[in-house]
């Protein structure tokens, strides 16, 4: 089972993305997208941005759950207080687990934001952040 | 009753100090450093100098506040000075007590080793390859020490020699006594 995570900024700009596979049931953490899918992942995820922006006004919680489908792939979304969108492309439904993953990711994001040298909408290039996201993925997904 | 510097520091911190939110201090100092970097076009050597100057201006004023609150007796040796700085000075203003260590042979140099630095919480230096080799993020503290000690007739040089933000093991500041200042006649006063 593979996942594609994208963090999109307030101006619909890309802030961070990561491909990873599941660690459950003996998975080794490497994504198993086919070559076509690999290219399509960012497209699919970004095409659901309109839906995210529409759905955010219907609910008062940050976790928007599954907002879009693409063949057999689902896209879940989490919208932070500062209008930053976390989007996850996945294959099976797992609302609770994904919600916990998003909440911890939000925590990591806020810590990144605390650095005076990082401004909102800037791409996140820190290796430490990358490592921590991977650890979170291992923990929840 | 003679009390150890540690006890004096604790007591003054508990009773005679007004507290402010630590995150406010961290974020304010962070925006000062970030703005300096932008203003000087990422010339980190200049930024270090400016932080030192700002610290100096703070230090020459801070010493009065410190002496009024702590009310300690005059330090007889440079070792006493070091103890008071770390156990009382830093305790009152930042609620940390850096360790004093690495005394040189002639007792004129020592190190302050910081195991926590509230000014640098959550900070990550920019990725441009220069900052991590040139910027001393907490350099304002060097200026503060230099300014404060100059007002009590002690000329020192203070600089950081390692910083966890740069990837080192510890954050360490080296303080060197240059000379004790004697009162001098103003120039042109015959």
């Amino acid at each position: 089972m593979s996942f594609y995570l994208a963090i999109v900024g307030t101006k619909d700009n890309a802030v961070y993305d990561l491909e990873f596979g599941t660690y459950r049931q003996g998975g080794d953490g490497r994504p198993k997208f086919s070559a076509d899918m690999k290219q399509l992942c960012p497209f699919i995820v970004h095409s659901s941005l309109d839906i995210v922006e529409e759905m955010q006004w219907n609910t008062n919680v940050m976790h928007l759950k599954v907002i879009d489908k693409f063949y057999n792939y689902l896209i879940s979304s989490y919208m932070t207080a500062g209008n930053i969108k976390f989007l996850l492309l996945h294959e099976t439904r797992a609302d609770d687990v994904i919600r916990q993953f998003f909440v911890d990711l939000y925590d990591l994001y806020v810590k990144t934001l605390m650095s005076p040298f990082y401004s909102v909408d800037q791409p996140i290039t820190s290796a430490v952040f990358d490592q921590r996201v991977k650890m979170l993925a291992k923990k929840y997904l | 009753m003679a009390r150890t510097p540690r006890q004096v520091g604790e007591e003054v911190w508990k009773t005679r100090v007004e507290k402010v939110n630590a995150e406010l201090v961290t974020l304010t100092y962070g925006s000062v450093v970030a703005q300096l970097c932008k203003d000087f076009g990422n010339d980190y050597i200049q930024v270090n100098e400016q932080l030192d100057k700002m610290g100096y201006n703070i230090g020459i004023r801070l010493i009065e506040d410190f002496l009024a609150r702590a009310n300690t007796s005059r330090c007889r040796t440079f070792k006493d000075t070091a103890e008071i700085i770390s156990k009382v000075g830093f305790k009152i203003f930042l609620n940390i007590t850096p360790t004093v260590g690495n005394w040189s042979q002639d007792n004129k140099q020592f190190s302050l080793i910081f195991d926590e630095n509230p000014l640098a919480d959550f900070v990550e230096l920019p990725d441009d390859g220069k900052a991590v080799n040139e910027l001393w993020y907490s350099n304002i503290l060097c200026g503060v020490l230099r300014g404060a000690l100059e007002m009590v007739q002690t000329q020192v040089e203070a600089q950081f020699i390692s910083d966890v933000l740069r990837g080192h093991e510890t954050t360490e500041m080296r303080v060197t006594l240059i000379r004790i200042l004697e009162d001098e006649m103003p120039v042109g006063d015959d």
Side-chain angles (χ1 to χ4, degrees):
Chain A
M1 240 224 311
S2 316
F3 299 90
Y4 177 75
L5 169 74
I7 302 184
V8 178
T10 62
K11 300 185 181 59
D12 288 344
N13 56 310
V15 169
Y16 178 78
D17 67 7
L18 181 68
E19 258 176 19
F20 55 94
T22 185
Y23 287 88
R24 304 216 169 278
Q25 288 152 7
D28 57 3
R30 268 180 295 178
K32 291 180 179 48
F33 289 120
S34 64
D36 293 337
M37 257 318 272
K38 252 171 110 68
Q39 286 176 353
L40 282 177
C41 280
F43 281 116
I44 302 170
V45 156
H46 284 76
S47 68
S48 61
L49 279 177
D50 283 337
I51 308 182
V52 176
E53 282 173 23
E54 202 185 294
M55 298 261 332
Q56 74 179 106
W57 305 114
N58 292 343
T59 172
N60 65 344
V61 299
M62 293 195 207
H63 185 51
L64 302 172
K65 301 197 205 168
V66 174
I67 52 163
D68 198 15
K69 254 176 76 66
F70 179 78
Y71 294 116
N72 58 334
Y73 289 102
L74 303 166
I75 297 158
S76 289
S77 164
Y78 185 96
M79 175 86 128
T80 74
N83 257 16
I84 306 288
K85 307 159 194 71
F86 299 157
L87 296 152
L88 185 69
L89 183 86
H90 55 105
E91 289 171 58
T92 55
R93 272 193 179 272
D95 274 346
D96 264 340
V97 174
I98 292 181
R99 186 182 58 81
Q100 285 170 347
F101 172 72
F102 277 145
V103 167
D104 278 3
L105 185 65
Y106 189 22
D107 194 50
L108 265 185
Y109 177 73
V110 169
K111 289 201 175 100
T112 307
L113 213 55
M114 288 281 278
S115 170
F117 296 107
Y118 177 80
S119 47
V120 180
D121 285 344
Q122 216 181 333
I124 300 179
T125 52
S126 148
V128 173
F129 182 81
D130 197 40
Q131 202 185 27
R132 291 201 182 127
V133 175
K134 288 186 176 141
M135 272 170 37
L136 272 189
K138 202 166 180 173
K139 182 173 167 195
Y140 287 113
L141 301 165
Chain B
M1 176 184 72
R3 284 179 305 180
T4 66
R6 193 178 280 279
Q7 288 170 325
V8 172
E10 287 282 346
E11 195 247 330
V12 175
W13 165 256
K14 283 196 191 110
T15 57
R16 274 174 264 164
V17 173
E18 275 168 31
K19 317 284 189 297
V20 75
N21 184 309
E23 277 178 11
L24 180 62
V25 172
T26 307
L27 289 172
T28 306
Y29 183 68
S31 51
V32 166
V33 179
Q35 195 60 48
L36 277 176
C37 291
K38 260 188 226 141
D39 288 346
F40 284 103
N42 288 349
D43 180 355
Y44 298 114
I45 310 290
Q46 262 289 345
V47 172
N48 289 340
E49 272 179 39
Q50 289 300 317
L51 284 174
D52 189 76
K53 273 194 210 155
M54 286 168 63
Y56 180 80
N57 288 323
I58 295 177
I60 59 180
R61 295 166 173 82
L62 204 69
I63 185 70
E64 299 293 335
D65 191 3
F66 171 75
L67 290 172
R69 279 183 216 273
N71 207 7
T72 51
S73 52
R74 186 173 275 282
C75 294
R76 275 172 299 129
T77 65
F78 196 50
K79 279 203 181 227
D80 289 344
T81 311
E83 283 299 305
I84 296 286
I85 292 175
S86 80
K87 306 284 183 305
V88 189
F90 274 99
K91 179 73 181 168
I92 293 182
F93 293 111
L94 288 175
N95 197 21
I96 55 174
T97 41
T99 335
V100 175
N102 292 348
W103 280 100
S104 65
Q105 287 286 36
D106 53 5
N107 280 344
K108 287 204 176 167
Q109 273 195 12
F110 66 93
S111 282
L112 283 170
I113 299 149
F114 295 84
D115 57 5
E116 54 165 333
N117 184 359
L119 296 180
D121 279 343
F122 299 118
V123 174
E124 266 178 41
L125 292 183
D127 245 339
D128 61 358
K130 274 199 339 170
V132 89
N133 292 323
E134 292 178 10
L135 179 68
W136 292 119
Y137 186 80
S138 314
N139 215 37
I140 205 169
L141 296 177
C142 296
V144 172
L145 276 187
R146 189 167 61 90
L149 287 172
E150 198 171 293
M151 290 292 116
V152 285
Q153 263 71 47
T154 313
Q155 189 181 10
V156 295
E157 214 177 73
Q159 53 214 35
F160 276 100
I161 54 177
S162 73
D163 192 352
V164 288
L165 292 181
R166 284 212 195 176
H168 302 131
E169 297 271 318
T170 56
T171 306
E172 193 173 320
M173 186 201 300
R174 195 95 187 125
V175 182
T176 312
L177 173 67
I178 309 288
R179 62 190 181 113
I180 309 283
L181 303 163
E182 302 295 341
D183 280 331
E184 288 163 3
M185 293 298 287
V187 179
D189 207 44
D190 276 313

